[in-house]
Amino acid sequence: MDCSGCNTSLKGKYCENCGQKYTNKKLSFKSLISDVFSSLTDVEKNIFLNVYTVIRFPKKVIGNYFNGFRGYYYSPGKMLFYFITIAGISSLLLGNTLFGITFDSNGVLSESMAFAIIYFPILSLSSFLTYRRYKKKYLEHVASTIYLISAFGIIVLLIENVFIYFSITSQKNANWIFLLTGFVIIWNAILFTTPSSILKIILNIVLESLVLTCIVIFAILALYFSGSLVLN
C-alpha cells in the first residue's frame, strides 16, 4: 500500500514521509463521529488551503477519506467546525441571516446549527438517491456533503458579507442559498460520476436537481398537512 498523498510505501499506520495516517478501516458512523470530535483541536494546516484543495481536487480529497487515509487533508469534521464558526460570525453580522435566509430558533439553536440540521440531511439524501447506482453508502454521501457544503459555504458566506457591506445586494437575497446548492450539486456530479464525461456529469446535475426539488416539495407538503406550516 502506497500513501495517497506522497506515494511513499507504507510500513505502518503512518507515512514515514508526510505523516498521513492510514486506518485500514471502512467508513462507519463511529469513525465519522470520532473524526468530528478528535480533529477540532488540530489546526496545523491553513483552512483556506484545504478549502481550495477540496474544490480543486474533490475526488482526491474526499476519495482519500473514503479509503481510510487520515491526517494529510482536513477531515469532514474539521471542515464542518470551521464552516459553523464562520457561519456563526456571519449570522451575528447579518442579524440571524445565513445565505439570505432568516432563522428564528427562539434562542434554542444558533443560526448556523439550525442551518446545518435542516440543510445537510436534505442535500445528503438527494446525493444518495441520485447516485445509488454507484453503490456508495449513505454515510459516504453525508461525509462528501459536509466537505462540499463547508468548503463552498465558507467562500459564499465571505462573498455575501462583502456584497452586503458594499450594498451590492440586500441582506435577505435568497440567491445565495441557490448559489451554494448549485455548487454542491455540480461538484457532487464531478465526484460521483464514474467514468467521468461531460455529458454524464451534466445529466447527473439535472437528475440531482430534480431529486432535490422533489424532496423539498414533499417536505413542504408534509409540514403543511401536519399543520406545522402555514402558506400565505
Side-chain angles (χ1 to χ4, degrees):
M1 176 68 68
D2 293 335
C3 174
S4 65
C6 63
N7 296 321
T8 300
S9 180
L10 293 176
K11 298 180 181 179
K13 290 184 177 180
Y14 294 90
C15 175
E16 295 179 348
N17 184 46
C18 69
Q20 178 174 215
K21 182 179 180 181
Y22 177 58
T23 65
N24 196 29
K25 296 179 181 178
K26 293 183 178 180
L27 180 62
S28 65
F29 181 78
K30 181 179 179 181
S31 66
L32 182 62
I33 295 300
S34 175
D35 280 335
V36 168
F37 288 100
S38 66
S39 62
L40 297 185
T41 57
D42 185 10
V43 292
E44 78 283 355
K45 294 178 182 176
N46 185 284
I47 177 60
F48 293 105
L49 175 60
N50 278 270
V51 168
Y52 167 79
T53 307
V54 170
I55 294 173
R56 181 68 178 82
F57 306 105
K59 284 192 174 184
K60 183 175 183 179
V61 176
I62 300 174
N64 203 50
Y65 186 76
F66 288 168
N67 293 327
F69 289 96
R70 305 289 188 269
Y72 191 80
Y73 303 111
Y74 272 7
S75 70
K78 188 180 292 185
M79 292 290 295
L80 179 61
F81 170 75
Y82 283 111
F83 168 70
I84 289 179
T85 300
I86 293 174
I89 296 172
S90 178
S91 66
L92 290 175
L93 296 175
L94 301 180
N96 301 338
T97 300
L98 283 175
F99 304 107
I101 301 175
T102 300
F103 290 86
D104 184 10
S105 56
N106 297 319
V108 177
L109 295 172
S110 67
E111 286 69 32
S112 54
M113 287 301 298
F115 174 84
I117 291 172
I118 295 170
Y119 193 63
F120 279 81
I122 292 176
L123 264 295
S124 299
L125 180 59
S126 70
S127 176
F128 174 69
L129 294 176
T130 302
Y131 300 101
R132 285 198 67 183
R133 62 192 182 279
Y134 295 112
K135 302 185 184 302
K136 294 292 184 181
K137 297 179 180 178
Y138 178 71
L139 276 177
E140 291 176 305
H141 289 276
V142 172
S144 65
T145 298
I146 292 174
Y147 265 119
L148 295 177
I149 292 180
S150 298
F152 283 108
I154 289 171
I155 299 300
V156 172
L157 277 176
L158 293 176
I159 296 174
E160 179 187 7
N161 277 272
V162 171
F163 273 49
I164 292 174
Y165 179 80
F166 288 103
S167 301
I168 299 174
T169 185
S170 66
Q171 184 173 316
K172 295 184 178 181
N173 188 337
N175 287 331
W176 296 107
I177 190 63
F178 293 116
L179 180 64
L180 175 60
T181 304
F183 279 135
V184 173
I185 290 175
I186 292 170
W187 259 255
N188 265 340
I190 295 172
L191 174 63
F192 289 111
T193 302
T194 306
S196 296
S197 73
I198 297 298
L199 180 58
K200 286 185 177 180
I201 289 174
I202 292 173
L203 290 175
N204 281 332
I205 290 171
V206 173
L207 178 59
E208 185 172 0
S209 299
L210 293 174
V211 170
L212 179 60
T213 301
C214 291
I215 292 173
V216 171
I217 291 174
F218 178 81
I220 292 173
L221 290 175
L223 290 172
Y224 175 74
F225 286 113
S226 68
S228 301
L229 177 66
V230 178
L231 300 177
N232 297 321

